[in-house]
Amino acid sequence: MSELPYSIIAGSGSYLPGDPVSNEDLAKQLAQQGIETSDTWIRERTGICQRHIAAADLNTSDLAALAGERAMADAGLTAKDIDLVIVATSTPDMIFPSTACFVQKKLGIAQGAAFDLQAVCSGFVYALSTADLFIRMGKARNALVIGAEVFSRILDWKDRGTCVLFGDGAGAMVLQSAKEPGILGHVLHARGEYENILRTPGVVAHGQVQGNPFLTMDGQAVFKLAVEVLESSAREVLAQAQLSTDQVDWLIPHQANIRILQFTAKRLGISPDRVVVTVDQHGNTSAASVPLAFDLARKDGRLKAGQTVLMQGVGGGFTWGAVLARLTR
């Protein structure tokens, strides 16, 4: 029996729709509905300065396909090379088919499996771990893994406590079969008992939306649990790879709130200048946030071959996880 392969990150790409919407722009729009907020109120509580909002004629699959196309080009691959497509999203184009099937069609990929994975803001970490397992078992050679969201469609724009937090976007990676490991380890967890602290509980049934179709969140409960599990999952995956926090070159956590990022880095003893932060530019883009941050840092030259990167997700479910990778290119 031949030796099973490893997987490496062969390429990355991202896409942000339209022009950025600043806090000032958003405050003016909300004021027209009688909702008061300000740049200072948003920035001090979250670290967010702007976000991107998809136009009405853009779906999740559109953003995902554009990010995926860029990741494929970055990896030097064409549609004929991709044999697995996984899209992490909580805002699919429709109930079915999967958004991944739409992406497969738009990119001209005519082979392999395509499916969606739903773990909310942990979705990309879940999807990357899943793709790694496919490759490690010899079931795929080139996997296109995408996190894409249009969270603006599920926000209550009369609730300033949530509507100012999120943005739309997509990020993608290509995982490729290799003889040497690029993905060093991953851990995934969920605690369904906390499902009520972050959710969108509405459903479509009998031709109507039943229940609340908007995102709801217990901010304090999410903050407390997020900081706890981000630290524990980081230590768990590092122990799995027999590495210490000192050996992590870059921490790329889910971009939800600047305070969560700061607390996590402090508890892990990781210097702030080793944390990739994009929440100020993108807001919380849920499953897209980690690959968006990864691609931005890679394109601006911060991420380099040979470095070790710790990526983390945490979100509704309650779900969380971490992926540890060594960059090869």
Side-chain angles (χ1 to χ4, degrees), residues 40-59:
T40 301
W41 191 90
I42 299 170
R43 192 189 299 255
E44 289 182 350
R45 286 163 176 78
T46 68
I48 297 169
C49 301
Q50 62 182 38
R51 74 286 294 144
H52 290 252
I53 305 295
D57 60 347
L58 283 178
N59 292 320

Side-chain angles (χ1 to χ4, degrees), residues 6-10 174-178 180-183 326 328-329:
Y6 296 99
S7 69
I8 60 170
I9 299 172
V174 172
L175 280 196
Q176 188 171 65
S177 175
E180 298 295 328
I183 302 298
R326 180 163 293 130
T328 61
R329 56 182 70 179

Side-chain angles (χ1 to χ4, degrees), residues 57-79:
D57 60 347
L58 283 178
N59 292 320
T60 296
S61 66
D62 296 313
L63 309 188
L66 288 164
E69 185 176 43
R70 293 173 180 179
M72 289 162 55
D74 188 46
L77 300 178
T78 68

Side-chain angles (χ1 to χ4, degrees), residues 170-237:
M173 290 183 193
V174 172
L175 280 196
Q176 188 171 65
S177 175
K179 293 183 179 180
E180 298 295 328
I183 302 298
L184 305 179
H186 40 75
V187 296
L188 303 175
H189 294 285
R191 292 279 294 278
E193 66 193 273
Y194 294 112
E195 55 81 21
N196 62 313
I197 66 175
L198 178 57
R199 60 181 177 175
T200 303
V203 298
V204 175
H206 308 295
Q208 295 181 330
V209 175
Q210 298 184 357
N212 183 1
F214 298 123
L215 179 148
T216 64
M217 180 174 66
D218 180 341
Q220 289 186 341
V222 169
F223 185 99
K224 181 179 179 181
L225 192 55
V227 172
E228 175 186 328
V229 300
L230 284 170
E231 178 187 5
S232 64
S233 61
R235 296 193 186 282
E236 185 180 359
V237 78

Side-chain angles (χ1 to χ4, degrees), residues 7-9 86 88 117 122-135 143-146 172-175 183 185-186 188 290-291 294 311 322-325:
S7 69
I8 60 170
I9 299 172
I86 306 177
L117 193 154
S122 305
F124 188 79
V125 168
Y126 267 63
L128 199 61
S129 302
T130 301
D132 175 62
L133 293 173
F134 265 80
I135 291 174
L144 180 59
V145 187
I146 306 171
M173 290 183 193
V174 172
L175 280 196
I183 302 298
H186 40 75
L188 303 175
V290 169
F294 179 95
M311 296 170 277
V323 175
L324 189 65

Side-chain angles (χ1 to χ4, degrees), residues 85-109:
V85 179
I86 306 177
V87 175
T89 187
S90 298
T91 53
D93 287 15
M94 58 181 67
I95 294 175
F96 70 84
S98 69
T99 300
C101 284
F102 287 115
V103 170
Q104 191 191 49
K105 175 184 177 181
K106 289 174 181 179
L107 294 178
I109 299 168

